[in-house]
Amino acid sequence: KDLIEMQRTKKSDPNDPFASEPGRHPALAPSSSKPFNAEPPAELLVDNYITPNELFFVRNHLPVPQVDMKNYVLTVGGEGLKKHSFTLDELKEKFKHRKMVATIQCAGNRRSNMMEVKKIKGLSWGIAAISNAEWTGVFLSDILAHLGLADPEKRGELKHVQFEGLDLDPEKAPYGGSIPIEKALDPSGDVLLAWDMNGEPLSRDHGFPLRVIAPGIIGARQVKWLSKVWVSPDESPSHWQQNDYKGFAPQVDWDTVDFKKSPAIQEYPVQSAICEPKDGAVWDNEEEVTVRGYAYSGGGREIIRVDVSADGGKTWHPTELVAKPNQGYNRTWAWTLWEADVPLPKDSKGKEVELCAKAVDSAYNTQPESFKPYWNLRGVVANAWHRVHIKVEDDEDN
Amino acid sequence: KDLIEMQRTKKSDPNDPFASEPGRHPALAPSSSKPFNAEPPAELLVDNYITPNELFFVRNHLPVPQVDMKNYVLTVGGEGLKKHSFTLDELKEKFKHRKMVATIQCAGNRRSNMMEVKKIKGLSWGIAAISNAEWTGVFLSDILAHLGLADPEKRGELKHVQFEGLDLDPEKAPYGGSIPIEKALDPSGDVLLAWDMNGEPLSRDHGFPLRVIAPGIIGARQVKWLSKVWVSPDESPSHWQQNDYKGFAPQVDWDTVDFKKSPAIQEYPVQSAICEPKDGAVWDNEEEVTVRGYAYSGGGREIIRVDVSADGGKTWHPTELVAKPNQGYNRTWAWTLWEADVPLPKDSKGKEVELCAKAVDSAYNTQPESFKPYWNLRGVVANAWHRVHIKVEDDEDN
Ligand SMILES: [Mo]
Ligand SMILES: [Mo]
């Protein structure tokens, strides 16, 4: 099923499933328009610890559904369990409200950087398919406890929590994803069903009226327009869980790939990127360059250090972590913003300089130096050192 | 305090604190004798999924204490908590027994590989400061619940669980380490106080009568000859928690290091090594080479893939994960053994070939390509690709 095909549907077509898409902020740069996928300019991203709602990157796999709240219910159940239906008001009344700051990153973030090694089929994301917000909702663990699942000894063969959205593919099958039941049941896992983003109800692009926030896990599992939560011995049967969003070794190509052989990505590895200056910028100070960016790791692992180089990785300089969360051991769900004034190599005037950034997380995980040994056919978890080339202005340029 | 100094004490000295060390298996290759530190031959390591007790690597920071069981008690308490003392028999009677297979790796494993970039002060560990065993003991979380600490809301300012051993430095201060309270309180964290290793009481070298098994965390926190468990707002004040076992950026040297600026290592990042063939081996098949090794990651993250190269990392081949645990999501505490028959590059006969291995864990974390950008002055978490050089035999060599 070629989802890209759908983008080619004409706007004037009365049967266009994308006819009722919401309006978007003009600063969002689309990597595809149908379905809508877009990221903010990197320099705006790094200006705000909490990403303003209208600049939060958008990753839609299908047309945005129109939800009529008069009919909206969330169905919760599972194999061998009673089925419950909740209106949004019932969820809000029955369970304790929780607030949490969490970063969401698309597993395809920085695919365009990985593509420089070799072509990849997929949206050409830049470095800004990542954003940070404060979410309000209820703990999925509280809802599962309500179903009688609190005690790990009682859950038997149930191993995954599947989610379905109200967004439908051309055959009317919903978008879906799942997470391990351990993550869902653990109150320290902090999985939310959220209705509010930065103090406002979710917008249509971000999953109105309810979405999953599974912090520390890739965006693809944080299902929007949530209609169903289903506890199961199996992972979600959806295309995106089974045959997409998996990593492979660099020698695996579309002729040899077997999607069953690799696990569905859940936690993200450590990541960082330089948001300023931009690639190709001209810099007018020959002594030092001010570099700013973000860093983030999956699984609640904290960023403990970001190093920056102005000579392509030969020598390194410390950065200041200027905005960072204090959320606790393996519960650090929000990103870290960093900056540094990095001395330029001697005699840089008139020359090109390669800036690099690399982050370290609390498990001392690191980013790979280059993409080639980690290239994968889906272009996911692209987390090699981010490299930006700037030109140091020569006096004669003035 | 120069611990290395102690090694220089003469064996004949009647005041030698090392006069009553236990006997050791002759296959263990010491990296220091006083205190005793030794690793098994890598090819024996990879022969056994469960490391035989007598081959398990030994990492002692101080002389091995002689414990008189008539007087042995474990003291458990903390700031604002009642103090309890347990004999070993009381611990065994009061709490449920648990069995678990877990790998322990010294944070200094593979330091000798990192030293090839630049000198490092510290024991020159090869690739075998890592071993795997089945441990029997009681959950630390059960003991802490007995102290009234089960409810995370009640623990207030208590943030760390400190451990002290019966091994003493020349000033009679004990070895010590601490782990985050979240790890200690979480039943899924699987922290044991263990008295049994592979069905036998702990040997003196491995902590008789009781040691901490904090799976997924570096060896240095898994305190042996355990005498005290203390819950505190602070980390262990010991030298090894405060001023050792921390990572730094490559530009930080002994003149500029500030140990307060880096967090104590807890979880280990993803690691792998080639145990066979050994560096410098002569190989008598010009078609392919059989490569065997281990892979392991901290924090309970499973090994999902190991790639091997026979051309220094230009092309990669899959390996078979021949022995691997099935312990569950983020509770995979035991290592994975792997092997592969890797095709040799054309015309390798008579030439040197560089083998490389790199592993990927369930959070898609990877090993760095080279040590230089990750060199650190203590030589810890040395997890760059393992590179082994072999010579492919020429017919004329025969
Ligand atoms: Mo995504
Ligand atoms: Mo260690």
Side-chain angles (χ1 to χ4, degrees), chain A residues 353-376:
Chain A
V353 163
E354 186 180 72
L355 306 174
C356 309
K358 61 179 171 75
V360 179
D361 75 14
S362 51
Y364 281 85
N365 283 301
T366 57
Q367 299 178 241
E369 185 168 336
S370 60
F371 280 109
K372 192 162 176 287
Y374 297 102
W375 182 93
N376 62 79

Side-chain angles (χ1 to χ4, degrees), chain A residues 144-202:
Chain A
L144 296 177
H146 186 75
L147 298 188
L149 274 179
D151 184 352
E153 317 274 313
K154 285 197 191 143
R155 61 180 205 246
E157 291 304 298
L158 300 174
K159 290 191 175 145
H160 303 274
V161 179
Q162 300 179 6
F163 306 117
E164 280 181 19
L166 291 166
D167 45 338
L168 303 175
D169 73 12
E171 277 80 48
K172 304 296 172 204
Y175 182 82
S178 61
I179 62 173
I181 196 169
E182 293 86 349
K183 170 76 175 170
L185 286 179
D186 182 0
S188 308
D190 288 326
V191 180
L192 290 184
L193 305 189
W195 55 77
D196 179 294
M197 180 179 179
N198 296 331
E200 288 175 17
L202 293 178

Side-chain angles (χ1 to χ4, degrees), chain A residues 246-292:
Chain A
K246 296 185 173 190
F248 292 92
Q251 72 275 12
V252 175
D253 60 24
W254 285 100
D255 293 328
T256 58
V257 67
D258 177 356
F259 272 93
K260 291 203 189 342
K261 286 210 171 149
S262 199
I265 308 170
Q266 298 288 351
E267 292 182 8
Y268 208 93
V270 59
Q271 174 71 289
S272 69
I274 297 168
C275 296
E276 278 189 335
K278 286 174 111 74
D279 204 57
V282 176
W283 192 255
D284 68 357
N285 174 334
E286 61 179 292
E287 301 292 328
E288 60 177 24
V289 53
T290 302
V291 187
R292 302 165 70 210

Side-chain angles (χ1 to χ4, degrees), chain A residues 180 247-249 251 262-263 265 267 269 301 305 316 329-330 358 363-370 372-374 385, chain B residues 180 247-249 251 262-263 265 267 269 301 305 314 316 329-330 358 363-370 373-374 385:
Chain A
F248 292 92
Q251 72 275 12
S262 199
I265 308 170
E267 292 182 8
R301 290 178 285 282
R305 202 178 82 223
W316 295 92
Y329 181 71
N330 285 357
K358 61 179 171 75
Y364 281 85
N365 283 301
T366 57
Q367 299 178 241
E369 185 168 336
S370 60
K372 192 162 176 287
Y374 297 102
W385 300 354
Chain B
F248 292 91
Q251 73 276 10
S262 200
I265 307 170
E267 292 182 7
R301 289 178 285 282
R305 202 179 82 224
K314 285 196 276 294
W316 294 91
Y329 181 71
N330 285 356
K358 61 178 170 79
Y364 281 84
N365 283 301
T366 56
Q367 299 180 241
E369 184 166 338
S370 61
Y374 297 103
W385 300 354

Side-chain angles (χ1 to χ4, degrees), chain B residues 95-163:
Chain B
F95 301 103
K96 186 172 169 181
H97 293 201
R98 318 270 183 171
K99 272 186 194 297
M100 173 181 66
V101 178
T103 294
I104 303 182
Q105 179 174 211
C106 179
N109 190 31
R110 300 189 60 212
R111 182 179 286 131
S112 61
N113 298 156
M114 187 182 272
M115 280 181 184
E116 289 166 20
V117 170
K118 199 165 74 171
K119 225 182 106 183
I120 299 169
K121 242 163 73 177
L123 299 172
S124 183
W125 290 110
I127 62 167
I130 181 170
S131 300
N132 190 47
E134 185 187 56
W135 310 94
T136 307
V138 293
F139 270 180
L140 177 57
S141 58
D142 286 343
I143 298 173
L144 296 177
H146 187 76
L147 299 189
L149 274 178
D151 183 353
E153 316 275 313
K154 285 197 189 142
R155 59 181 207 248
E157 291 303 300
L158 300 173
K159 290 191 175 148
H160 304 274
V161 180
Q162 301 179 6
F163 307 116

